[in-house]
Amino acid sequence: MNLPQQSLILSFFFAVFFTLPTLAADSAGGEQKASSCVSCHGPNGNSSNSQWPNLAAQQPTYLVNQLKAFKAGDRINIMMQSMTADLSNVDINNLAGYFSSQKPVKAGGDPALAKSGEAKAAMCLGCHGSAAQGNGQFPRLAGQHPEYLVQQLKAFKDGSRKSGPMQAIIANLSEADFKALAAYFGSL
């Protein structure tokens, strides 16, 4: 087997592996469970408050991983830990299936900052997808609230949110860089 064939097989394996948690998702069941999410994350997962992320069109594997991390206490947020405490794995998969199937909106962003952020965005697109649409376990950044993205980048940088690759990538970025990138992604 040559290298291109091995790469194709490996890519197929990862695509199947990272989508397994949501294959059996029941979007209607997720929609019913999502009623408690709407007050923060908005109707259909499109939040009107920059304090909370948009969930619409988010990667299902990412949503499953984050909900499980909140439930297990691996990702700390008191509100989310209480919201996920009684969710079953089926509930989590259904919520991920529902929110990932919703139509996203653009959160917007300062046009001048967005232009600056576009020039810096290439470092993010390898994992987060060529249009920042997300990629399996890597979240959708397109259309996300810039303020929310800045807060998450700060949390990765100060270590209050853990992810080795993210900490390494942003180690040399400034808060101005965070704001420019966030404005760009919010504008997509």
Side-chain angles (χ1 to χ4, degrees), residues 5 25 64 72 93 99 135 143 166 179 183:
Q5 289 172 324
V64 166
N93 287 339
F99 284 119
N135 188 9
M166 281 299 297
K179 289 177 180 179

Side-chain angles (χ1 to χ4, degrees), residues 142-187:
Q144 196 57 261
H145 293 288
E147 296 86 353
Y148 176 79
L149 289 175
V150 167
Q151 288 307 114
Q152 297 312 301
L153 290 168
K154 286 179 181 179
F156 282 122
K157 190 163 188 170
D158 72 20
S160 59
R161 186 165 177 195
K162 306 288 184 212
S163 171
M166 281 299 297
Q167 267 110 7
I169 289 169
I170 66 170
N172 295 316
L173 296 179
S174 67
E175 189 168 336
D177 293 329
F178 292 170
K179 289 177 180 179
L181 285 165
Y184 173 67
F185 291 125
S187 72

